[in-house]
Amino acid sequence: MTPTATYPSALVRDHSRECRPVARTGRENGALAGLLGLTALLYLWGLGASGYANDFYAAAVQAGTKSWTAFFFGSLDSANAITVDKPPAALWPMELSGRLFGFSSWSMLVPEALMGVAAVWVLYATVRRWFGPTAGLLAGALLAITPVAVLMFRFNNPDALMTLLIVVAAYCVTRALENASTKWLLPAGAALGFSFLAKGLQPFTVVPALAAAYLVAAPAPMRRRLLQLVAAGVAIVVAAGWWVLAVDLTPAADRPYIGGSGNNTALGLAFGYNGLSRIAGGSGVGGFSGSSGVDRLFNSIVGGQISWLLPAALLACGAIGIAAGRAGRTDRTRAALILWGGWLLVTGTVLSFATGIIHAYYTIELAPAIAALVAIGAVVMWRRRAEPAVRVVLGAGILVTGLWSMTLLQRGSDWSPGIAVLVAIAGVLGAVAVLVPAGRALGVAGIAAGLVAAGGGSLAYAVDTAATAHAGSTPAAGPPVASSGFGGRPQAVTRGGMPGQLPSQMPGGMPGGTPPAGFRPPSGSRPSGSMPAGGPGGGGRQATVSSALVRLLSNAGTTWSAATIGARSAAPLELQSGTAVIAVGGFSGSDESPTLAHFQALVKAGKVRYFISSATGGPGGAGGSSSGAISAWVQGRFTARTVGGTTVYDLTKAK
């Protein structure tokens, strides 16, 4: 980032695309340092309380610190039986940190937190270039306190790297728009392509908005703009495709099985399980984020994660569009609306109407766009506050935000009710102060009240999120809430299970399924995503393995100390024994890896010593045909014993 930036000298009024350089002042530098410092404090404080967070990814990080092959492919185990169900780029920063500082909770999670601080900084720099320091600082602050952002930047899911990369792409497109610069457009494509290696197709929902902004507003002839976008598209393909090509050109016998792919290919993983099936892979009823539809982002599962400023952002889209008016094609106010507004609308629509597996924390992808739109809209309208219509819009935004924040806070009926009253009062007072064309003092009071209305509830949720340990595969920000309020559709949910399912109905090893013996959350934590009956639930808790079982696996002396059905059962065994464990069937137990014949060959060669039963009573839970066949073969052929409350089959001792 450069120490200078540009924004229109008479923003919105003349819609000029001529900009003057604006150097950062000492006051702005101090404010930026404060913003980044407080963000770092929020994201780093007490970070180790979550332990290994999502032990599925933690096991893969541990594996990557032991094996470069596991590092490259994203293997769940250091002996490279099967990969996690995502491309591996999000694991790489955590694995490199583990190699430098030793594998631990802190070495794994600190890179995630630092990526969050970097995302706040890049968003500030992006918005500042065209709309000034106030807008940039406000955008950064609003992103920093978005509850789902606080959650994901303190967790080891792939979303932290994805979010940073798409914000970097937006910065690069913003720079490219200033003078039709190919040298900035190509890095934007590269950042988007690399984000594919973090989270599959999900980050590509921002591509239409970035491309449209450039196509409409870049100061160059149409032919050049089209050719530049083609070049950026090539950069996306190269940045994403090199790993896919490397994996699919490697003989299957020389690499781990690609978990979640269905066909043992990287393309199958990207475009199937982690791609189109997420959009159209289910009924749309229930699920991890409630029923699909226009109200999903406001319901009781998702609302408190992301929607605090969503009404204000939508209002800002209209205000920014009206402000741009009939300005020329290259007007930057309109370009910003296309970029950030398009990002919000396209991504929001996909997340709202997708019928496959959509977790509430996926909405972190909306956070930068919401923060940018609210900040830009606030600055644009404030500079035109002398106009009565603008004051009405500004006041309406403050009032709606305060009342909606109160609604979200009241869903957690037993949690800090005074904050709900405070943000509602602030919303009313801020709206009145803005509507009345009085002196400077009242205007300042209106700004203060507006900031409380806009950020008070979100900040309270953010602090609660940072103060709570989170573990499992479906974490949620903020306190437990009841399934009620606008958009909330009642769901039959049990703790630790998917909506509408009992733990006994879950596939073996899946989130919410019965975990291995000794399963419990970190000390002082509450189950991630757990809610009272009738509210959203889900997510396993972090497991501990009995010391007797740990000793048994540690002394196995084989390539894989053990095998078990499903990655959710294998991960805690790996983490606490430090050995490689075969996750039969991958994440859910449904992958056809290893086949029965392959597993029999491994046992015959002495490469796997034990088979660990799930706690559901048999040698494994439900899963694919391979998992069932292996379970039946083990149960029928080998001797079982109980170790630390868990059934263990010794694969060297036939019946």
Side-chain angles (χ1 to χ4, degrees):
M1 310 298 168
T2 59
T4 61
T6 58
Y7 60 89
S9 56
L11 181 67
V12 178
R13 290 188 178 279
D14 64 5
H15 308 284
S16 172
R17 66 182 181 88
E18 295 298 326
C19 298
R20 57 185 175 85
V22 179
R24 282 204 287 260
T25 64
R27 178 179 295 180
E28 184 187 353
N29 285 333
L32 176 60
L35 170 62
L36 298 181
L38 290 173
T39 301
L41 181 65
L42 181 64
Y43 291 175
L44 288 166
W45 184 264
L47 193 59
S50 292
Y52 291 130
N54 188 338
D55 54 12
F56 174 62
Y57 291 116
V61 172
Q62 183 188 61
T65 64
K66 296 182 176 184
S67 163
W68 285 112
T69 300
F71 177 95
F72 180 80
F73 289 105
S75 300
L76 181 68
D77 60 284
S78 58
N80 299 294
I82 194 168
T83 71
V84 296
D85 61 349
K86 298 289 189 297
L91 301 172
W92 292 341
M94 296 183 281
E95 291 169 339
L96 291 173
S97 175
R99 283 181 174 269
L100 286 172
F101 303 108
F103 174 69
S104 68
S105 174
W106 274 92
S107 70
M108 179 178 66
L109 295 178
V110 165
E112 304 293 280
L114 295 181
M115 283 189 274
V117 176
V120 168
W121 178 48
V122 177
L123 183 65
Y124 149 80
T126 305
V127 173
R128 182 194 191 276
R129 287 197 67 82
W130 292 356
F131 298 96
T134 300
L137 291 167
L138 181 58
L142 294 177
L143 173 60
I145 64 172
T146 302
V148 71
V150 178
L151 175 71
M152 286 292 100
F153 288 130
R154 294 173 56 91
F155 211 69
N156 58 343
N157 278 18
D159 303 77
L161 180 61
M162 177 198 74
T163 303
L164 173 59
L165 288 171
I166 57 178
V167 175
V168 168
Y171 175 82
C172 292
V173 169
T174 299
R175 295 294 302 267
L177 276 164
E178 293 173 1
N179 55 9
S181 170
T182 304
K183 75 175 185 179
W184 280 107
L185 199 59
L186 292 180
L192 289 169
F194 203 73
S195 71
F196 171 89
L197 297 183
K199 198 72 188 294
L201 291 181
Q202 182 186 341
F204 284 1
T205 59
V206 308
V207 172
L210 301 186
Y214 193 83
L215 186 63
V216 169
M222 174 62 79
R223 182 173 181 273
R224 182 183 174 190
R225 281 177 273 152
L226 288 172
L227 289 175
Q228 287 176 313
L229 286 175
V230 169
V234 172
I236 292 176
V237 172
V238 171
W242 68 270
W243 182 83
V244 173
L245 186 64
V247 171
D248 287 348
L249 289 180
T250 303
D254 297 332
R255 60 167 171 79
Y257 184 94
I258 306 302
S261 66
N263 61 0
N264 197 19
T265 68
L267 282 175
L269 172 66
F271 291 96
Y273 173 73
N274 280 309
L276 300 180
S277 68
R278 299 278 170 156
I279 298 174
S283 66
V285 178
F288 291 101
S289 299
S291 300
S292 61
V294 68
D295 61 347
R296 175 182 273 175
L297 298 179
F298 299 93
N299 71 23
S300 58
I301 304 173
V302 181
Q305 310 299 300
I306 190 63
S307 73
W308 301 87
L309 292 172
L310 184 52
L314 294 173
L315 190 62
C317 285
I320 295 169
I322 293 172
R326 298 182 179 180
R329 177 180 65 80
T330 59
D331 174 64
R332 293 185 176 178
T333 302
R334 184 185 296 110
L337 174 61
I338 296 171
L339 193 159
W340 299 111
W343 177 329
L344 175 61
L345 293 177
V346 174
T347 302
T349 298
V350 171
L351 293 177
S352 294
F353 291 95
T355 57
I357 298 174
I358 299 293
H359 292 287
Y361 61 78
Y362 289 3
T363 56
I364 189 177
E365 190 180 4
L366 297 172
I370 291 173
L373 286 167
V374 171
I376 293 169
V379 168
V380 166
M381 287 186 286
W382 184 254
R383 288 173 177 168
R384 299 181 59 174
R385 64 190 180 279
E387 302 173 28
V390 172
R391 290 201 303 275
V392 169
V393 173
L394 193 58
I398 295 172
L399 180 62
V400 169
T401 299
L403 295 179
W404 177 240
S405 294
M406 179 186 69
T407 301
L408 291 173
L409 288 163
Q410 287 179 335
R411 288 177 176 174
S413 56
D414 60 346
W415 184 79
S416 301
I419 300 177
V421 175
L422 175 64
V423 296
I425 293 175
V428 173
L429 294 179
V432 171
V434 167
L435 287 171
V436 177
R440 178 180 178 84
L442 188 59
V444 171
I447 292 175
L451 290 175
V452 172
S458 182
L459 178 60
Y461 256 53
V463 172
D464 178 85
T465 301
T468 302
H470 294 84
S473 60
T474 55
V481 300
S483 182
S484 61
F486 176 77
R489 300 181 183 178
Q491 310 235 3
V493 181
T494 59
R495 288 179 182 264
M498 287 187 191
Q501 288 186 294
L502 297 173
S504 60
Q505 296 173 295
M506 297 297 294
M510 283 196 69
T514 307
F519 198 70
R520 62 178 181 268
S523 175
S525 73
R526 68 166 173 258
S528 287
S530 67
M531 306 280 180
R541 305 172 189 174
Q542 213 159 65
T544 56
V545 181
S546 70
S547 58
L549 186 54
V550 169
R551 286 194 299 271
L552 186 75
L553 299 184
S554 299
N555 295 323
T558 49
T559 303
W560 290 276
S561 64
T564 190
I565 302 298
R568 300 304 298 177
S569 295
L573 298 173
E574 290 188 37
L575 286 168
Q576 294 175 54
S577 71
T579 64
V581 175
I582 297 177
V584 178
F587 179 75
S588 65
S590 60
D591 280 319
E592 298 300 317
S593 174
T595 63
L596 176 59
H598 184 200
F599 186 75
Q600 289 171 333
L602 292 176
V603 172
K604 183 178 180 180
K607 292 186 176 182
V608 54
R609 178 67 187 273
Y610 300 106
F611 191 93
I612 309 297
S613 172
S614 75
T616 54
S625 60
S626 176
S627 301
I630 290 172
S631 297
W633 180 72
V634 168
Q635 188 175 31
R637 184 176 179 86
F638 296 98
T639 301
R641 59 176 167 140
T642 300
V643 179
T646 301
T647 302
V648 177
Y649 292 80
D650 189 331
L651 301 181
T652 67
K653 296 181 180 180
K655 288 182 178 179

